[in-house]
């Protein structure tokens, strides 16, 4: 079916008490691994393209690949800009059929984050495009965004209420202790803070930096109100490990024999994540 919006799949997740997986895409094999798995599991799914992915693959290629993948399944698929920081890229995504955009103003002072997010909502909503914003700041590296430990800021529940009211955003990414990239130690989420935010804010909440978070913590976060979970690093690692295995253990040089096993390995990651997010059978 055609691409659907994040608002559609995330409002349903909010009502149903589960989370939809948002997996980062950079090429055809990644898109295929995500959509084929979601389709097999009857799970709604979000294809997340960062500004870096758009620079790498080209926006037309990502748009075309995502639309073809969605057209081959009955499960809801969305195409979402992940960590948009450039207003022009947001406009480009809206023009190129993205059904959702994230405006990441988390590096800005509170009022400036509100103003920027409002500006994006004003252009996106009339075009039927959903908007995700971020309040608080996650530590770690995601594509072109890098935040030191000393600069990390947890989301304040009262600010979250004001932010949502003033911006009319559709979903909110919260900083509760997760980090982008590979964790150095055991990730510890601030569940009390999450519960407080969820009690005060009605819209779906988003957990970034979810690769490497243990299953029990993910399940608890979903129970306490997380409805969208972002996974990038674990897909990258599955791809890298599978490619490395093939090229070190054989002398194949056919890209299909290198990327094919990588696609299978990424499917396993997506399958496991959809299972613990609780979105299997929710299409
Ligand atoms: O926006 C993307 C995700 O937050 C990626 O997080 O590095 O833990 O996979 P990750
Ligand atoms: Zn993120």
């Amino acid at each position: 079916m055609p691409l659907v919006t994040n608002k559609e799949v995330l409002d349903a997740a909010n009502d149903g008490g589960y989370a939809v997986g948002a997996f980062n895409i950079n090429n055809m094999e990644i898109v295929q691994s995500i959509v084929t798995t979601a389709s097999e599991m009857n799970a709604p799914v979000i294809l997340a393209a960062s500004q870096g992915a758009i620079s790498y693959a080209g926006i037309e290629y990502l748009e075309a690949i995502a639309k073809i993948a969605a057209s081959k399944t009955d499960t809801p698929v969305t195409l979402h800009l992940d960590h948009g920081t450039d207003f022009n890229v947001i406009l480009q995504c809206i023009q190129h059929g993205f059904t959702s955009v994230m405006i990441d103003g988390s590096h800005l002072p509170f009022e400036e984050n509100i103003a920027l997010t409002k500006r994006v909502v004003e252009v996106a909503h009339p075009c039927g495009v959903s908007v995700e914003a971020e309040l608080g700041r996650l530590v770690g590296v995601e594509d072109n965004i890098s935040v030191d430990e000393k600069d990390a800021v947890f989301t304040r529940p009262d600010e979250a209420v004001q932010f949502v009211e003033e911006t009319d955003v559709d979903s909110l990414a919260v900083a509760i202790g997760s980090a982008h990239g590979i964790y150095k130690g055991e990730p510890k989420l601030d569940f009390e803070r999450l519960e407080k935010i969820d009690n005060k804010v009605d819209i779906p909440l988003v957990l970034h930096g979810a690769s490497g978070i243990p299953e029990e913590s993910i399940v608890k976060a979903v129970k306490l109100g997380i409805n969208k979970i972002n996974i990038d690093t674990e897909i990258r690692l599955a791809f890298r490990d599978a490619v490395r295995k093939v090229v070190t253990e054989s002398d194949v040089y056919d890209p299909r024999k290198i990327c094919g096993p990588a696609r299978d390995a990424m499917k396993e990651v997506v399958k496991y994540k959809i299972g613990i997010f609780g979105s299997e059978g929710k299409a």
Side-chain angles (χ1 to χ4, degrees), residues 24 82-83 138 141-142 179-183 207-211 230-234:
N24 282 79
D82 190 31
H83 292 288
L138 257 68
V141 181
E142 172 68 16
H180 285 127
I182 298 174
Y183 282 90
L207 183 67
H208 281 252
S211 290
N230 286 32
I231 299 286
D232 187 6
T233 300
E234 283 192 55

mmCIF file of all heavy atoms in Angstrom, residues 24 82-83 138 141-142 179-183 207-211 230-234, ligand 1:
data_model
loop_
_atom_site.group_PDB
_atom_site.id
_atom_site.type_symbol
_atom_site.label_atom_id
_atom_site.label_comp_id
_atom_site.label_asym_id
_atom_site.label_seq_id
_atom_site.Cartn_x
_atom_site.Cartn_y
_atom_site.Cartn_z
ATOM 1 N N ASN A 24 16.966 2.792 10.679
ATOM 2 C CA ASN A 24 17.633 3.694 9.727
ATOM 3 C C ASN A 24 17.961 3.007 8.413
ATOM 4 O O ASN A 24 18.401 1.858 8.395
ATOM 5 C CB ASN A 24 18.907 4.266 10.355
ATOM 6 C CG ASN A 24 18.582 5.374 11.326
ATOM 7 O OD1 ASN A 24 18.173 5.112 12.457
ATOM 8 N ND2 ASN A 24 18.696 6.607 10.884
ATOM 9 N N ASP A 82 15.044 11.443 9.823
ATOM 10 C CA ASP A 82 15.573 11.281 11.181
ATOM 11 C C ASP A 82 16.551 12.423 11.481
ATOM 12 O O ASP A 82 17.438 12.711 10.669
ATOM 13 C CB ASP A 82 16.300 9.920 11.235
ATOM 14 C CG ASP A 82 16.688 9.511 12.632
ATOM 15 O OD1 ASP A 82 15.971 9.884 13.586
ATOM 16 O OD2 ASP A 82 17.714 8.800 12.776
ATOM 17 N N HIS A 83 16.399 13.054 12.634
ATOM 18 C CA HIS A 83 17.319 14.132 13.079
ATOM 19 C C HIS A 83 17.515 15.229 12.043
ATOM 20 O O HIS A 83 18.656 15.593 11.729
ATOM 21 C CB HIS A 83 18.673 13.554 13.495
ATOM 22 C CG HIS A 83 18.610 12.733 14.741
ATOM 23 N ND1 HIS A 83 18.430 13.300 15.981
ATOM 24 C CD2 HIS A 83 18.671 11.389 14.939
ATOM 25 C CE1 HIS A 83 18.391 12.334 16.894
ATOM 26 N NE2 HIS A 83 18.525 11.166 16.289
ATOM 27 N N LEU A 138 20.575 13.846 23.886
ATOM 28 C CA LEU A 138 21.186 12.526 24.079
ATOM 29 C C LEU A 138 22.691 12.584 23.864
ATOM 30 O O LEU A 138 23.156 13.247 22.936
ATOM 31 C CB LEU A 138 20.639 11.559 23.017
ATOM 32 C CG LEU A 138 19.579 10.561 23.430
ATOM 33 C CD1 LEU A 138 18.295 11.302 23.751
ATOM 34 C CD2 LEU A 138 19.317 9.559 22.313
ATOM 35 N N VAL A 141 27.027 9.671 19.267
ATOM 36 C CA VAL A 141 27.177 10.126 17.880
ATOM 37 C C VAL A 141 26.130 9.465 17.003
ATOM 38 O O VAL A 141 25.965 8.249 17.006
ATOM 39 C CB VAL A 141 28.578 9.760 17.330
ATOM 40 C CG1 VAL A 141 28.730 10.262 15.894
ATOM 41 C CG2 VAL A 141 29.679 10.337 18.205
ATOM 42 N N GLU A 142 25.365 10.283 16.255
ATOM 43 C CA GLU A 142 24.426 9.773 15.263
ATOM 44 C C GLU A 142 24.662 10.566 13.984
ATOM 45 O O GLU A 142 24.362 11.755 13.919
ATOM 46 C CB GLU A 142 22.970 9.946 15.753
ATOM 47 C CG GLU A 142 21.903 9.637 14.726
ATOM 48 C CD GLU A 142 21.798 8.173 14.319
ATOM 49 O OE1 GLU A 142 22.349 7.311 15.034
ATOM 50 O OE2 GLU A 142 21.198 7.906 13.273
ATOM 51 N N ALA A 179 21.636 6.515 24.717
ATOM 52 C CA ALA A 179 22.725 7.199 24.003
ATOM 53 C C ALA A 179 22.819 6.684 22.577
ATOM 54 O O ALA A 179 22.533 5.514 22.308
ATOM 55 C CB ALA A 179 24.047 6.932 24.718
ATOM 56 N N HIS A 180 23.231 7.554 21.676
ATOM 57 C CA HIS A 180 23.456 7.128 20.293
ATOM 58 C C HIS A 180 24.773 6.357 20.193
ATOM 59 O O HIS A 180 25.720 6.637 20.908
ATOM 60 C CB HIS A 180 23.528 8.346 19.362
ATOM 61 C CG HIS A 180 22.201 8.976 19.082
ATOM 62 N ND1 HIS A 180 21.952 10.316 19.263
ATOM 63 C CD2 HIS A 180 21.047 8.440 18.606
ATOM 64 C CE1 HIS A 180 20.701 10.586 18.913
ATOM 65 N NE2 HIS A 180 20.122 9.462 18.519
ATOM 66 N N GLY A 181 24.818 5.377 19.302
ATOM 67 C CA GLY A 181 26.054 4.626 19.061
ATOM 68 C C GLY A 181 26.212 3.453 20.017
ATOM 69 O O GLY A 181 25.242 3.004 20.633
ATOM 70 N N ILE A 182 27.455 2.969 20.148
ATOM 71 C CA ILE A 182 27.722 1.792 20.987
ATOM 72 C C ILE A 182 27.909 2.229 22.446
ATOM 73 O O ILE A 182 28.672 3.158 22.726
ATOM 74 C CB ILE A 182 28.985 1.044 20.482
ATOM 75 C CG1 ILE A 182 28.741 0.546 19.046
ATOM 76 C CG2 ILE A 182 29.354 -0.106 21.404
ATOM 77 C CD1 ILE A 182 29.942 -0.077 18.369
ATOM 78 N N TYR A 183 27.179 1.569 23.378
ATOM 79 C CA TYR A 183 27.270 1.932 24.800
ATOM 80 C C TYR A 183 28.624 1.535 25.371
ATOM 81 O O TYR A 183 29.141 0.452 25.065
ATOM 82 C CB TYR A 183 26.162 1.234 25.599
ATOM 83 C CG TYR A 183 24.827 1.911 25.429
ATOM 84 C CD1 TYR A 183 23.953 1.526 24.414
ATOM 85 C CD2 TYR A 183 24.450 2.964 26.257
ATOM 86 C CE1 TYR A 183 22.738 2.169 24.231
ATOM 87 C CE2 TYR A 183 23.230 3.614 26.082
ATOM 88 C CZ TYR A 183 22.386 3.203 25.069
ATOM 89 O OH TYR A 183 21.197 3.845 24.884
ATOM 90 N N LEU A 207 11.885 6.913 21.802
ATOM 91 C CA LEU A 207 13.170 6.574 22.423
ATOM 92 C C LEU A 207 14.235 6.452 21.345
ATOM 93 O O LEU A 207 14.199 5.534 20.525
ATOM 94 C CB LEU A 207 13.051 5.250 23.196
ATOM 95 C CG LEU A 207 14.306 4.807 23.958
ATOM 96 C CD1 LEU A 207 14.624 5.752 25.117
ATOM 97 C CD2 LEU A 207 14.154 3.375 24.479
ATOM 98 N N HIS A 208 15.183 7.383 21.346
ATOM 99 C CA HIS A 208 16.341 7.299 20.444
ATOM 100 C C HIS A 208 17.450 6.525 21.149
ATOM 101 O O HIS A 208 17.404 6.310 22.356
ATOM 102 C CB HIS A 208 16.828 8.712 20.095
ATOM 103 C CG HIS A 208 16.006 9.378 19.039
ATOM 104 N ND1 HIS A 208 16.456 9.574 17.770
ATOM 105 C CD2 HIS A 208 14.737 9.859 19.068
ATOM 106 C CE1 HIS A 208 15.516 10.172 17.051
ATOM 107 N NE2 HIS A 208 14.453 10.352 17.820
ATOM 108 N N GLY A 209 18.454 6.128 20.361
ATOM 109 C CA GLY A 209 19.622 5.477 20.956
ATOM 110 C C GLY A 209 19.269 4.155 21.615
ATOM 111 O O GLY A 209 19.780 3.820 22.683
ATOM 112 N N ALA A 210 18.406 3.375 20.965
ATOM 113 C CA ALA A 210 17.904 2.155 21.614
ATOM 114 C C ALA A 210 18.740 0.911 21.315
ATOM 115 O O ALA A 210 18.527 -0.137 21.929
ATOM 116 C CB ALA A 210 16.452 1.912 21.229
ATOM 117 N N SER A 211 19.694 1.002 20.380
ATOM 118 C CA SER A 211 20.576 -0.156 20.142
ATOM 119 C C SER A 211 21.363 -0.422 21.414
ATOM 120 O O SER A 211 21.896 0.512 22.028
ATOM 121 C CB SER A 211 21.581 0.148 19.025
ATOM 122 O OG SER A 211 20.954 0.228 17.784
ATOM 123 N N ASN A 230 13.996 3.898 18.057
ATOM 124 C CA ASN A 230 14.953 4.064 16.952
ATOM 125 C C ASN A 230 16.145 3.117 17.075
ATOM 126 O O ASN A 230 16.813 3.092 18.116
ATOM 127 C CB ASN A 230 15.497 5.492 16.966
ATOM 128 C CG ASN A 230 14.493 6.506 16.473
ATOM 129 O OD1 ASN A 230 13.291 6.340 16.664
ATOM 130 N ND2 ASN A 230 14.982 7.542 15.839
ATOM 131 N N ILE A 231 16.387 2.403 15.992
ATOM 132 C CA ILE A 231 17.520 1.468 15.939
ATOM 133 C C ILE A 231 18.335 1.744 14.675
ATOM 134 O O ILE A 231 17.808 1.673 13.561
ATOM 135 C CB ILE A 231 17.023 -0.004 15.892
ATOM 136 C CG1 ILE A 231 16.202 -0.372 17.137
ATOM 137 C CG2 ILE A 231 18.191 -0.972 15.699
ATOM 138 C CD1 ILE A 231 16.971 -0.569 18.412
ATOM 139 N N ASP A 232 19.596 2.024 14.856
ATOM 140 C CA ASP A 232 20.520 2.204 13.736
ATOM 141 C C ASP A 232 21.775 1.351 13.947
ATOM 142 O O ASP A 232 22.116 0.483 13.138
ATOM 143 C CB ASP A 232 20.886 3.699 13.619
ATOM 144 C CG ASP A 232 21.721 3.996 12.377
ATOM 145 O OD1 ASP A 232 21.915 3.081 11.557
ATOM 146 O OD2 ASP A 232 22.184 5.140 12.225
ATOM 147 N N THR A 233 22.456 1.589 15.068
ATOM 148 C CA THR A 233 23.762 0.951 15.316
ATOM 149 C C THR A 233 23.706 -0.574 15.184
ATOM 150 O O THR A 233 24.597 -1.182 14.567
ATOM 151 C CB THR A 233 24.270 1.358 16.716
ATOM 152 O OG1 THR A 233 24.405 2.784 16.731
ATOM 153 C CG2 THR A 233 25.609 0.718 17.029
ATOM 154 N N GLU A 234 22.701 -1.228 15.733
ATOM 155 C CA GLU A 234 22.670 -2.699 15.686
ATOM 156 C C GLU A 234 22.513 -3.217 14.251
ATOM 157 O O GLU A 234 22.980 -4.303 13.920
ATOM 158 C CB GLU A 234 21.564 -3.252 16.590
ATOM 159 C CG GLU A 234 21.970 -3.213 18.052
ATOM 160 C CD GLU A 234 21.037 -3.996 18.957
ATOM 161 O OE1 GLU A 234 20.812 -5.196 18.717
ATOM 162 O OE2 GLU A 234 20.515 -3.398 19.914
HETATM 163 O O1 LIG B 1 18.032 8.237 15.352
HETATM 164 C C1 LIG B 1 18.539 7.099 15.373
HETATM 165 C C2 LIG B 1 18.661 6.321 16.594
HETATM 166 O O2 LIG B 1 18.454 7.109 17.722
HETATM 167 C C3 LIG B 1 19.840 5.415 16.590
HETATM 168 O O3 LIG B 1 20.243 4.964 17.842
HETATM 169 O O4 LIG B 1 22.671 4.439 17.641
HETATM 170 O O5 LIG B 1 21.263 3.376 19.380
HETATM 171 O O6 LIG B 1 20.965 2.741 17.022
HETATM 172 P P1 LIG B 1 21.334 3.828 17.959
#
